[in-house]
Amino acid sequence: MGADVLLGLQWGDEGKGKIVDVLTPDYDIIARFQGGPNAGHTLEFEGIKHVLHTIPSGIFRNNVVNIIGNGVVIDPIILKKEIEELEKLNVDVVQKLFISKKAHLILPTHKLLDKASEKAKGKRKIGSTLKGIGPTYMDKTGRNGLRIGDISSQNFKTRFERLREKHFQLLDEIDNDYNNLEVDFLSSIEFLKRFQHIDSEHYLNNAIKEGKKVLAEGAQGTLLDIDFGTYPFVTSSNTISAGTCTGMGIAPNKLERIIGIFKAYCTRVGSGPFPTELSDDVGTKMRDIGHEYGATTGRERRCGWLDLPALKYSIMINGVTELCMMKADVLDSFDEIQVCTHYQVGEEKFNYFPFEISEKTKPVYRNFQGWNTDITKLKDKDNLPLALLNYIQFLEEELEVPIKIISVGPNRSETIVR
Ligand code: GDP
Ligand code: IMO
Ligand code: MG
């Protein structure tokens, strides 16, 4: 027995929350291993639409433990709000949520530093969610950070103030409402003391030894990975399967299924290269039908066709063993569907994901006939329209990995297993 991983293969927002929620009944433990409240994972079922930022997407199911792993960065203010929202829905968070003592804390000043960094970059800004992710991971690797396990220590306040002062020295200006933010932060820290803080690496490894089933839930996507994404337009953590090992303390030989999830097209929110981006009516149609607006920031998501060189790269980096294709229904009314099979720069045509992607990197497309059918009510794999089956077959041949789930709507029930 080991752990399975579910992660995004594009630039995030592939639908990870939905599929983790769908798969949770097969697992005993769901764990987040990286990222923080920059994530927004949407779950829809039984009339509820809920967005989770820090808490794993198994939280609504019974008899499942949800763990925020050591690789995650936690904003106590946001986590408190998240918990309160769930408690309103009668979810017993105290029982179901465990937090790693080694998870790092996002301080109010980390958020100010994030904002200052983006401002200083001007036009070259990353398009960060401004949740303080980058500065918190910088303090982690810089060995200055504060962790969940520190909040019960006698000198927590002193250490907090020391780090805050260090940040103040880096900032040109401090927001007027900073004091309120700090009061909120400290009271949220008190609130979090009610929850179970654990040595999650021991907990998880013992659970695996006992034969329990663990699913690791990725945040962001492979193309936002700090090492392999479209640097510098990435997030500050390892979003890939290897991130599970460092972000949960699970050894590589304990990983089993690596479930990669992608949209039938592509989206990106924030700045950075996006070779198949559509700045025309087709892109706008995708955004409108797919409701492509950020679950965390509400920003418009940039939309474009599926990019196979990028997808193959993500499959390689993660060692993906099976795929889920999301939001196929968004393409229901498209007469023609395009897939990028290669890139072209000048006369040179190639099919690998290159070091540098510039405006000169042009996608080369293959066209497919659209299925022009409403697939949202379909329940059975045998009823999928032929044109969609052709599209799926082509992708499986190109990607050399089976597509096991086709998602045809945001609801838990709108899921076809093949
Ligand atoms: P995540 O960050 O990967 O969990 O994805 P988000 O929740 O940020 O964005 C995915 C969006 O697509 C959410 O609004 C989901 O409710 C929605 N969604 C998920 N799967 C499907 C699908 O198959 N079809 C449609 N139309 N929407 C979907
Ligand atoms: P989920 O888990 C989509 C993007 C931001 C920005 C870049 C860096 O919902 O898929 P950061 O706040 O990390 O400094 O932002 O990464 N980004 C995401 N895009 N989905 C996410 O999470 C994202 N988390 C960060 O838009 O371009
Ligand atoms: Mg999201």
Side-chain angles (χ1 to χ4, degrees), residues 11-13 16 38-41 126-130 133 219-220 224 234-235 269-271 299:
W11 284 283
D13 303 329
K16 299 174 289 294
N38 48 349
H41 295 181
I126 310 296
S128 162
T129 59
L130 303 178
I133 305 295
Q220 292 78 56
L224 289 170
V234 293
T235 191
V269 59
S271 329
R299 289 178 294 175

Side-chain angles (χ1 to χ4, degrees), residues 194-267:
R194 283 207 283 138
F195 294 85
Q196 310 187 58
H197 305 162
I198 60 164
D199 292 312
S200 56
E201 63 279 29
H202 289 296
Y203 184 93
L204 284 161
N205 281 289
N206 286 337
I208 289 173
K209 228 181 228 172
E210 287 165 14
K212 299 244 167 75
K213 291 189 73 184
V214 178
L215 178 66
E217 171 178 359
Q220 292 78 56
T222 303
L223 303 177
L224 289 170
D225 179 83
I226 182 72
D227 281 282
F228 297 105
T230 46
Y231 192 89
F233 301 101
V234 293
T235 191
S236 301
S237 65
N238 279 119
T239 60
I240 57 174
S241 53
T244 315
C245 302
T246 53
M248 282 169 50
I250 290 186
N253 64 347
K254 297 270 166 41
L255 298 186
E256 292 187 343
R257 293 163 66 193
I258 313 284
I259 308 165
I261 165 165
F262 69 101
K263 283 178 187 167
Y265 49 99
C266 261
T267 63

Side-chain angles (χ1 to χ4, degrees), residues 2-171:
D4 297 341
V5 188
L6 180 138
L7 40 72
L9 301 178
Q10 295 162 322
W11 284 283
D13 303 329
E14 295 89 351
K16 299 174 289 294
K18 167 181 164 164
I19 296 299
V20 170
D21 170 61
V22 167
L23 298 179
T24 297
D26 296 339
Y27 291 91
D28 302 295
I29 300 171
I30 310 293
R32 278 274 306 268
F33 58 93
Q34 46 69 232
N38 48 349
H41 295 181
T42 315
L43 281 66
E44 279 192 48
F45 57 92
E46 295 159 18
I48 292 178
K49 177 173 175 175
H50 199 88
V51 181
L52 294 163
H53 299 286
T54 327
I55 296 177
S57 301
I59 198 74
F60 284 100
R61 303 280 197 170
N62 292 328
N63 307 318
V64 176
V65 166
N66 288 263
I67 297 182
I68 300 178
N70 57 279
V72 176
V73 290
I74 296 175
D75 181 334
I77 303 175
I78 294 179
L79 181 54
K80 174 173 177 270
K81 282 200 192 112
E82 253 186 284
I83 292 170
E84 286 169 345
E85 289 300 315
L86 288 168
E87 286 179 337
K88 275 189 219 156
L89 296 169
N90 295 322
V91 177
D92 187 352
V93 187
V94 176
Q95 281 305 314
K96 291 209 252 180
L97 180 70
F98 293 0
I99 310 174
S100 168
K101 288 183 194 162
K102 293 193 173 75
H104 278 247
L105 292 170
I106 302 175
L107 271 49
T109 39
H110 283 132
K111 290 185 265 193
L112 302 189
L113 288 168
D114 214 356
K115 202 157 79 176
S117 165
E118 286 286 77
K119 194 173 165 200
K121 281 184 198 284
K123 277 193 187 143
R124 294 175 302 110
K125 73 174 182 184
I126 310 296
S128 162
T129 59
L130 303 178
K131 303 292 176 194
I133 305 295
T136 306
Y137 279 115
M138 281 166 73
D139 269 337
K140 175 178 178 176
T141 50
R143 294 155 297 176
N144 299 311
L146 288 170
R147 302 182 290 176
I148 283 287
D150 296 324
I151 68 179
S152 44
S153 98
Q154 292 269 318
N155 64 353
F156 176 74
K157 189 84 190 298
T158 315
R159 289 171 65 190
F160 164 72
E161 284 167 359
R162 203 184 302 143
L163 189 52
R164 179 193 64 190
E165 289 315 306
K166 189 166 183 279
H167 293 160
F168 277 167
Q169 283 169 22
L170 297 170
L171 288 161

